[in-house]
Amino acid sequence: MAAKHVEETAKKNYTGFGRFKAKLGDILTKDSILQLATFFGYPPAQIDLLQNEISRNHFMIRYMEERGQITETDISTLLYALKVLNLHEIQKKAQTLFELHTGKRCTGNDQSMQQPEDLNFGKLDLGSNESFTSDFTILGLASFSSADQHSITLENGKLVPVSSTLEDLQINTNNGKEFTQDQVIGILLFAQQCKRLKKLSFIDCLLPLSLLVGSLSPITKLRNIQVSWTPTEHGFHLDSSRGKWVSNSKEATTLE
């Protein structure tokens, strides 16, 4: 009886979801593991364990499973994180492996991938007041309705408050959505108040070609925040002194 139980356990571990986890561990690199750990907001003690060359892959799979970022029926949280981090090759391999070993489909059209603001990225949790807590370091949003110096209002009405820990804010629409000058200025006002923010990225969306500058403009008070816009494969960075987008290419073209 015991032998049969051991055999069944072993079979479970090396087929289906268990086999997928083993294969997923094989394709995760050190850099991708540390990027994911930061994205998901893992505590420093766990990130330290992920520095270990021998055990990092095992621990990463374990942490993701414990947090529900990968489950027997869904890995869309992981796929979304890989997409935001531009780890597209690993994203494709992970999706293929999951479908191959579990027989379940998990695509980029999944509802949970279209609305990342509703996902749990470690420290990004919903409070009882229908807003997010402010204890997170990386935030990826598919869209937003408005923003000001206090919060970002999502399209579903939920609020993201100013965070004292936020370091990287990414607006990635995946569909070329257009944002107005007021919306962009609102995000810049929000960014000002996040004292540890280092990067603000607009990805796959349309923005005004120039932004208003002046003594009252939040653009002049961005500290050392790097603001970038990537509407295509060629990205731009914001010249805060002029309110203009400058190409990151060698030609350094300015959009007028």
Side-chain angles (χ1 to χ4, degrees), residues 57-160:
N57 296 64
H58 166 76
F59 278 117
M60 188 63 192
I61 299 300
R62 172 181 157 188
Y63 294 154
M64 288 193 293
E65 186 174 13
E66 288 175 347
R67 288 164 173 76
Q69 289 149 355
I70 58 172
T71 71
E72 293 187 12
T73 59
D74 183 41
I75 60 165
S76 54
T77 299
L78 170 63
L79 294 181
Y80 172 76
L82 291 169
K83 185 172 185 177
V84 169
L85 294 169
N86 293 318
L87 298 172
H88 301 302
E89 190 65 29
I90 297 178
Q91 177 195 358
K92 292 177 182 177
K93 289 181 179 179
Q95 181 174 331
T96 299
L97 288 170
F98 182 78
E99 294 178 355
L100 175 65
H101 292 290
T102 68
K104 299 179 178 66
R105 286 190 58 78
C106 188
T107 71
N109 293 324
D110 186 272
Q111 182 71 9
S112 58
M113 291 189 67
Q114 291 179 340
Q115 296 183 337
E117 63 268 24
D118 288 336
L119 295 178
N120 182 352
F121 292 149
K123 293 186 177 181
L124 184 56
D125 299 310
L126 275 175
S128 58
N129 61 347
E130 292 299 308
S131 65
F132 292 108
T133 61
S134 58
D135 185 16
F136 47 88
T137 58
I138 300 178
L139 176 62
L141 300 176
S143 187
F144 68 98
S145 175
S146 62
D148 57 27
Q149 65 268 35
H150 304 295
S151 62
I152 298 173
T153 303
L154 305 180
E155 291 186 333
N156 58 15
K158 295 173 183 175
L159 300 178
V160 179

Side-chain angles (χ1 to χ4, degrees), residues 18-28 61 97 101:
R19 186 63 173 166
F20 161 72
K21 289 189 293 181
K23 291 294 186 181
L24 178 61
D26 290 340
I27 66 173
L28 292 177
I61 299 300
L97 288 170
H101 292 290

Side-chain angles (χ1 to χ4, degrees), residues 5 31 41 49 54 73-75 100 104 107 119 125 128 137 171 180 185 189 204 218 224 231 234-235 240 243 246:
H5 174 72
D31 287 344
L49 288 175
I54 298 176
T73 59
D74 183 41
I75 60 165
L100 175 65
K104 299 179 178 66
T107 71
L119 295 178
D125 299 310
S128 58
T137 58
I171 312 293
T180 66
I185 293 297
L189 285 168
D204 195 12
N224 294 320
H234 301 295
S240 59
V246 180

Side-chain angles (χ1 to χ4, degrees), residues 8 19 27 32 36 55 62 95 116 139 147 166 214 228 237:
E8 290 176 349
R19 186 63 173 166
I27 66 173
S32 64
L36 284 168
S55 60
R62 172 181 157 188
Q95 181 174 331
L139 176 62
L166 183 62
S228 64
H237 63 272

